[in-house]
Amino acid sequence: MCEHAPTCPRAADPDHHAAKAVATHPEQGWSLLCNGVVIFDDTGEILPDGTAVAPHRPAVRRMAAMLA
């Protein structure tokens, strides 16, 4: 549970990236947010239920399309 004031957005909320980071590992390229979302430097993420969200930066999408 979030103890920040105001409360951080839930993982299911559209603005879930606004939650505060509770653990960061820049050398590994990821951060854990207060709402349980793990975000990666490439803009990918893992939701608390284990769902993986692919990177959503335009350059990453173009690169993925070129490699496919």
Side-chain angles (χ1 to χ4, degrees):
M1 293 297 284
C2 177
E3 297 179 8
H4 298 110
T7 303
C8 293
R10 296 175 302 130
D13 292 342
D15 62 343
H16 63 263
H17 291 107
K20 297 195 183 278
V22 294
T24 59
H25 293 275
E27 72 282 0
Q28 296 176 355
W30 63 272
S31 296
L32 172 64
L33 302 181
C34 180
N35 57 12
V37 174
V38 176
I39 58 171
F40 297 94
D41 288 349
D42 69 354
T43 71
E45 53 194 62
I46 299 176
L47 302 178
D49 66 1
T51 303
V53 178
H56 45 275
R57 291 187 312 190
V60 172
R61 275 191 243 143
R62 280 194 302 272
M63 177 78 74
M66 290 172 31
L67 296 174

